[in-house]
Amino acid sequence: MPQRSALGELHRGILTVALVANVAVFLVDVGTGLIDGDTRAWVRAPFYVLVGAVEVWQRRRPEPDATWVLFLVAALVGGATFVEHGLGFEAGLAPDPVAATAVVFTLAVVEAAVARRRQVRLVAALYLLLFVPWTAALAISEARPPGEVLMRTTAATVLLTLGSWFVWKLRTRLEDLAVERERHVRLHEAVAEASEALMSVSLLEPLGTAARAVRDGFGVAGVVVVRLTGPTAGVTTVGDTGAVPWDRPPVEVVTALSTREPVRGPVGEWPEGIYFPVTVNGAVVGLLGVVGSAAPDPAADGLLGAVAEMIGSFWERVEAQHRLEELVRSKDELVAAVSHELRTPLTAVLGLAAELTQRWADLGTEEIREFTTIISEQSRDMADIVEDLLVAARADLGTLSIRPDKVDLRAEVDSVVATGSLRAKTSSVDLEVEGETVFAWADGLRCRQVIRNLVTNALRYGGSRIRIRVAATGGRSVVEVADDGVGLDETEGARIFEPYYRARQVPTQPGSVGLGLAVSRQLARLMGGDVRYERRDGWTVFVLELPEVVVST
């Protein structure tokens, strides 16, 4: 209805101008007649009043129509001329009633072309049917030559036809532009609404709200948002999307989306539509599908591509928020774990130190040796925890320095295993070390720290048997620490090297800080190597790889 109301306002404006002109002409005509003593003005007065009444009546209607008022004016111009001729007067309303009638008729047709596009043909037909005989009658009443009548009528008809066609075409183009502009505004409003939904922190279903905005704004049957991978994998549908296995895209769709280009359907079981890739951190993880329209539309396609990018950003924020929440939770667990890990050896150190201080004279040599050994081992454990924390912090800040040199990996393994604190822990397991002397280009101190962490991890979470193998293969020096424990599932295997992450708690072991494996990988990579996890034939294997140093014989 807004378009009809605007049309009515246009007609009302035309009627207002016509009413003012009618009153002005009437006052001038009557005033001139009074001054000149010409009584013909009073003959024309009823025609002015009739036209004014019709104009006022039309203006008061909810949907006025100025077209027929202009035709009425044209008819009255000729009518007044006939009356004046009948009374014996010369034409006074218009010096040339034929031209005046043609002008008013022309205004009526042009007005119809501008304000009433759908009725312009009807009005033009009425013009041809009424104007030609009307002007002929006026010309005959004024005894005009037939040639002049024909010439004027033909010229007016041709000019009117060309003018009406031009105005009609202009109006059509303007309307098309107005419709296109309105569509663009609607599409941009839909994108803005979708963006607002995806940025909101209060909506329970931001994806559903954004999809509804796209469906309503773009005028499509349905919208589907599919997350194929990641922790938020799932399908969100709005509108008529059909019974389609959206979580199992056809191979053609997967292949096309990998090129970061939209796919137009139908494809496989998926219906007609256009499907845009959604990326997170540069990888395609899902898609935005608009069901019901696959026709190329550069403007709409560009905006839908922008919505797909917004969805990718939304998923990135959600995942970042989950990581932050997990990091905060891990930090809390870290504080608890560090407190526990330090409290246990620190309690032993403080208790034994106090015992030695208070009862030194009463203790025998063996008791003193046992107490000092325990103090040394527990202090070593605390120093290892603190060292892991310091390495992690320095690595994050980029201030951790590595001093590479030729390192004998077999000697480093033997040194770690022979350490007092580890020797006591390995007494209850079956531990074997295999391999000959193998040299690597690494930092000896950091290399021992990595091996210690891997062996400690096997002791804490592994089974009753531990195998350590030192070897050189493919230009790499390798240390493998394997245990016969239950291993890790796929999710834990992918995350075990994240800082502060602990795969599980073992009731018989104290909680760990969750930094050992993360620090080990950081150190290995800084030395040009890596640490990775494998599961082989029932064994859990952590592999340390470092650049090999070949010793010539």
Side-chain angles (χ1 to χ4, degrees), residues 140-493:
I140 293 172
S141 67
E142 293 187 336
R144 295 289 183 92
E148 181 182 347
V149 174
L150 179 61
M151 182 189 65
R152 292 193 176 199
T153 303
T154 302
T157 302
V158 171
L159 293 175
L160 174 61
T161 302
L162 293 176
S164 300
W165 177 84
F166 176 77
V167 173
W168 179 65
K169 285 293 185 181
L170 178 61
R171 169 63 187 270
T172 302
R173 178 57 179 162
L174 291 176
E175 281 191 351
D176 292 341
L177 291 176
V179 170
E180 186 66 18
R181 180 180 179 279
E182 181 181 352
R183 177 174 177 272
H184 281 194
V185 170
R186 186 177 70 252
L187 296 182
H188 281 85
E189 288 177 348
V191 173
E193 185 177 350
S195 174
E196 183 178 358
L198 294 173
M199 292 293 292
S200 174
V201 296
S202 60
L203 290 176
L204 295 178
E205 297 182 356
L207 278 178
T209 303
R212 279 189 291 273
V214 172
R215 179 199 61 183
D216 297 340
F218 285 75
V220 294
V223 175
V224 58
V225 180
V226 182
R227 179 68 188 264
L228 300 172
T229 61
T232 57
V235 178
T236 301
T237 60
V238 172
D240 183 12
T241 57
V244 178
W246 292 112
D247 57 339
R248 298 191 302 274
V251 176
E252 299 89 342
V253 173
V254 176
T255 303
L257 290 178
S258 64
T259 64
R260 313 295 176 84
E261 294 295 331
V263 181
R264 300 187 185 275
V267 180
E269 297 182 67
W270 285 20
E272 181 181 12
I274 180 169
Y275 306 99
F276 295 84
V278 178
T279 61
V280 172
N281 296 324
V284 178
V285 299
L287 60 91
L288 166 67
V290 178
V291 180
S293 175
D297 186 339
D301 290 355
L303 293 175
L304 288 172
V307 174
E309 293 179 0
M310 295 176 190
I311 294 174
S313 299
F314 167 75
W315 281 338
E316 287 183 3
R317 290 195 303 273
V318 170
E319 293 180 2
Q321 182 178 358
H322 289 169
R323 288 194 298 269
L324 180 60
E325 293 173 352
E326 187 171 343
L327 181 60
V328 172
R329 184 169 56 253
S330 298
K331 290 288 187 181
D332 294 338
E333 294 176 355
L334 169 66
V335 173
V338 169
S339 300
H340 178 81
E341 288 283 279
L342 292 179
R343 185 186 300 116
T344 300
L346 187 58
T347 300
V349 169
L350 291 175
L352 293 174
E355 189 74 9
L356 288 172
T357 302
Q358 297 171 6
R359 299 181 54 221
W360 180 270
D362 300 331
L363 296 175
T365 303
E366 290 299 324
E367 289 178 307
I368 293 175
R369 181 180 294 109
E370 179 183 357
F371 284 7
T372 55
T373 299
I374 294 174
I375 289 175
S376 175
E377 293 175 351
Q378 297 298 325
S379 299
R380 181 71 260 171
D381 286 345
M382 288 189 292
D384 290 342
I385 294 173
V386 172
E387 181 64 19
D388 281 347
L389 291 170
L390 290 175
V391 168
R394 290 171 182 170
D396 289 340
L397 294 174
T399 59
L400 182 63
S401 59
I402 297 295
R403 296 179 176 85
D405 200 349
K406 186 173 71 173
V407 176
D408 185 345
L409 290 183
R410 175 58 193 257
E412 297 297 345
V413 170
D414 292 338
S415 173
V416 170
V417 173
T419 302
S421 58
L422 279 183
R423 186 174 64 252
K425 295 176 183 178
T426 58
S427 61
S428 61
V429 300
D430 177 12
L431 186 145
E432 295 182 7
V433 179
E434 304 173 355
E436 301 298 329
T437 299
V438 174
F439 291 96
W441 186 253
D443 186 320
L445 174 63
R446 301 308 178 190
C447 190
R448 286 191 297 275
Q449 185 175 355
V450 174
I451 296 172
R452 171 180 58 79
N453 283 339
L454 296 181
V455 175
T456 301
N457 183 75
L459 289 169
R460 186 184 300 275
Y461 297 116
S464 60
R465 293 186 296 169
I466 298 177
R467 300 290 181 267
I468 303 175
R469 188 176 75 92
V470 182
T473 176
R476 309 289 282 179
S477 298
V478 177
V479 177
E480 295 181 351
V481 180
D483 66 78
D484 61 349
V486 295
L488 304 172
D489 60 31
E490 184 177 352
T491 302
E492 290 178 330

Side-chain angles (χ1 to χ4, degrees), residues 85-159:
H85 277 287
L87 295 176
F89 297 121
E90 294 182 359
L93 180 62
D96 190 339
V98 176
T101 305
V103 169
V104 178
F105 265 113
T106 302
L107 290 176
V109 176
V110 172
E111 187 274 341
V114 174
R116 303 185 64 86
R117 172 185 170 188
R118 296 181 180 179
Q119 295 186 8
V120 66
R121 295 180 181 178
L122 172 62
V123 175
L126 289 175
Y127 168 83
L128 295 176
L129 292 175
L130 297 178
F131 172 72
V132 175
W134 190 255
T135 52
L138 287 176
I140 293 172
S141 67
E142 293 187 336
R144 295 289 183 92
E148 181 182 347
V149 174
L150 179 61
M151 182 189 65
R152 292 193 176 199
T153 303
T154 302
T157 302
V158 171
L159 293 175

Side-chain angles (χ1 to χ4, degrees), residues 25-44:
V25 172
F26 170 71
L27 293 177
V28 171
D29 193 14
V30 173
T32 303
L34 291 175
I35 295 174
D36 297 340
D38 187 356
T39 59
R40 289 178 298 174
W42 298 106
V43 175
R44 295 188 291 270

